[in-house]
């Protein structure tokens, strides 16, 4: 096996590039992690030192393409179906019914949901299954638009495929398994087309304000288990971008269980449901008004 040592100075150069491109921040303790994840990239690029790899990324005409491979290699894609089930129950039993009720009153039968760091797809398929379950047959009367994005192109390939093993389904109820999956071979489960067709996948870097501006009027954004990997300034930018992408009325932001907005100044209002926090956009308040208030 190819095995190269990563010096502290090269580690700092590479983590700087990663941070610039994605907002991901690797602490000093991650030096070994980076070396392990990048040995394979050096081998593929036929380079023998990390310094050469750094210069390749920065100055080679193919450097930009390789930077994407670097981000794919360092992003943590851990996820599974129905992760943080308490939160998803709140989405199912409180937020969705409230949204549907309010929208029905206004005669607007549309629902827009964004899984903003969808990784290999388990989160967004879980959301689509919940929406399908709650709406039941009425789903044909609703315009349901579910968007799923991630910075990692390799994670998105798996997400679009929608093929999973037992481990990804470890928290999935049998009723969901039977209803929304087809067995594929002896060990895999394929998400059914009726769920897949509700979702549009694409690549978005959440730190990049311009690309997040394409996503507007969302009713719910799931931005879970990502800001904890970012530096503080990038966290702020992502939260600001999420605020902008939400619907003016009744827009909800879901963060991961280990994440919160305590250290990030933002106009979001925390709402407490059985000990779980969901953040709500202040009704009728845009970012500029909120900043001026
Ligand atoms: C741990 S996974 C979270 C998956 C899912 N949201 C969940 O909670 O199970 C974190 C994801 O964030 C993505 N990510 C990291 N930085 C990002 C950025 N700047 N923009 C978009 N996605 C990013 C990674 O590629 C990875 O797939």
């Amino acid at each position: 096996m190819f095995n190269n040592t990563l010096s502290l100075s090269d580690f700092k150069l590479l983590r700087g590039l990663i941070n610039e491109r994605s907002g991901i921040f690797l602490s000093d303790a991650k030096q070994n992690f980076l070396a392990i994840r990048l040995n394979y990239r050096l081998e593929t690029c036929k380079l023998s030192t990390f310094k050469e790899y750094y210069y390749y990324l920065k100055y080679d005409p193919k450097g930009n393409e390789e930077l994407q491979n670097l981000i794919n290699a360092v992003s943590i894609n851990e996820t599974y179906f129905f992760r943080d089930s308490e939160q998803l129950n709140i989405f199912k039993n409180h937020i969705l019914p409230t949204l549907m009720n309010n929208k029905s009153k206004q005669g607007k039968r549309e629902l827009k949901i964004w899984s903003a760091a969808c990784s290999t797809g388990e989160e967004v398929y879980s959301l689509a299954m919940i929406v399908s379950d709650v709406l039941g047959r009425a789903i044909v009367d609703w315009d349901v638009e579910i968007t799923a994005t991630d910075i990692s192109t390799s994670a998105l390939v798996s997400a679009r495929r929608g093929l999973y093993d037992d481990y990804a389904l470890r928290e999935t109820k049998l009723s969901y398994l039977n209803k929304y999956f087809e067995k594929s071979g002896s060990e895999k489960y394929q998400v059914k087309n009726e769920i897949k067709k509700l979702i549009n996948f694409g690549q978005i870097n959440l730190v990049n304000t311009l690309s997040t501006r394409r996503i507007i009027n969302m009713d719910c954004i799931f931005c879970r288990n990502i800001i904890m990997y970012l530096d503080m300034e990038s966290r702020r930018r992502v939260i600001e971008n999420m605020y902008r992408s939400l619907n003016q009325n009744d827009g909800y932001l879901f963060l991961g269980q280990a994440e919160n907005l305590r250290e990030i100044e933002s106009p979001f209002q925390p709402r407490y449901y059985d000990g779980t926090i969901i953040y709500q956009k202040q009704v009728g308040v845009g970012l500029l008004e909120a900043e001026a208030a």
Side-chain angles (χ1 to χ4, degrees):
M1 201 192 112
F2 196 81
N3 208 341
N4 218 306
T5 33
L6 173 62
S7 67
L8 183 60
S9 59
D10 290 345
F11 167 68
K12 287 185 174 169
L13 288 173
L14 287 165
R15 88 165 162 193
L17 278 186
I18 294 165
N19 184 250
E20 235 171 70
R21 170 62 82 101
S22 66
I24 295 172
F25 178 72
L26 300 177
S27 69
D28 289 353
K30 290 282 161 59
Q31 192 172 338
N32 232 352
F33 160 87
L34 190 63
I36 292 166
R37 293 245 170 155
L38 291 192
N39 259 314
Y40 169 71
R41 291 309 318 153
L42 259 72
E43 199 180 344
T44 310
C45 298
K46 300 191 177 16
L47 298 169
S48 37
T49 67
F50 284 105
K51 180 85 80 211
E52 280 174 23
Y53 185 59
Y54 171 75
Y55 285 121
Y56 180 80
L57 288 163
K58 258 197 104 79
Y59 302 112
D60 194 275
K62 288 194 185 145
N64 207 32
E65 210 177 291
E66 181 53 28
L67 200 47
Q68 180 63 55
N69 292 326
L70 168 64
I71 300 297
N72 290 352
V74 299
S75 63
I76 305 287
N77 301 123
E78 162 63 11
T79 183
Y80 49 89
F81 279 89
F82 298 96
R83 183 178 194 177
D84 297 340
S85 56
E86 297 87 359
Q87 248 192 6
L88 295 184
N89 285 337
I90 288 160
F91 171 63
K92 180 177 181 178
N93 300 323
H94 297 279
I95 309 282
L96 257 185
T98 306
L99 280 170
M100 285 163 59
N101 198 13
N102 292 348
K103 280 171 181 270
S104 293
K105 278 189 205 149
Q106 296 160 18
K108 279 197 219 155
R109 297 199 144 209
E110 55 168 39
L111 208 51
K112 293 176 96 177
I113 295 164
W114 181 18
S115 168
C118 70
S119 186
T120 41
E122 289 86 332
E123 175 181 88
V124 73
Y125 287 127
S126 306
L127 298 173
M129 288 171 197
I130 291 172
V131 169
S132 166
D133 229 34
V134 170
L135 288 178
R137 287 200 185 142
I139 198 160
V140 291
D141 303 326
W142 283 76
D143 183 7
V144 177
E145 208 182 290
I146 304 180
T147 304
T149 63
D150 200 280
I151 197 171
S152 164
T153 49
S154 54
L156 284 167
V157 168
S158 304
R160 286 193 178 97
R161 193 182 305 130
L163 188 64
Y164 299 96
D165 59 18
D166 280 344
Y167 192 62
L169 292 155
R170 59 194 182 273
E171 296 285 329
T172 306
K173 287 189 188 143
L174 204 57
S175 55
Y176 278 107
L177 199 61
N178 291 335
K179 197 166 169 190
Y180 296 118
F181 293 86
E182 272 156 5
K183 200 94 202 274
S184 172
S186 60
E187 290 178 2
K188 299 268 184 190
Y189 296 85
Q190 174 71 61
V191 176
K192 283 190 180 169
N193 260 339
E194 63 180 272
I195 292 298
K196 280 180 125 181
K197 72 177 187 207
L198 297 174
I199 304 167
N200 288 311
F201 288 99
Q203 188 192 29
I204 286 188
N205 176 359
L206 298 179
V207 177
N208 184 329
T209 300
L210 267 186
S211 21
T212 59
R213 286 210 170 151
R214 296 183 346 233
I215 313 275
I216 52 168
N217 295 332
M218 291 291 125
D219 295 305
C220 291
I221 300 180
F222 288 77
C223 185
R224 303 193 305 168
N225 304 301
I226 170 203
I227 61 167
M228 62 186 179
Y229 297 109
L230 309 181
D231 67 87
M232 196 44 97
E233 183 43 42
S234 303
R235 288 180 194 188
R236 261 189 224 110
R237 195 165 334 138
V238 170
I239 295 304
E240 212 174 280
N241 293 341
M242 299 297 97
Y243 194 85
R244 214 177 268 116
S245 291
L246 277 170
N247 204 337
Q248 280 289 88
N249 302 302
D250 273 357
Y252 296 90
L253 173 71
F254 294 73
L255 297 178
Q257 294 284 48
E259 297 166 325
N260 59 60
L261 297 184
R262 252 174 254 140
E263 289 176 33
I264 302 173
E265 226 177 282
S266 90
F268 276 110
Q269 296 293 305
R271 305 275 178 234
Y272 298 90
Y273 299 86
D274 305 329
T276 295
I277 307 177
I278 315 285
Y279 294 92
Q280 189 175 19
K281 185 162 177 167
Q282 286 185 58
V283 175
V285 179
L287 208 54
L288 286 176
E289 295 98 306
E291 274 162 6

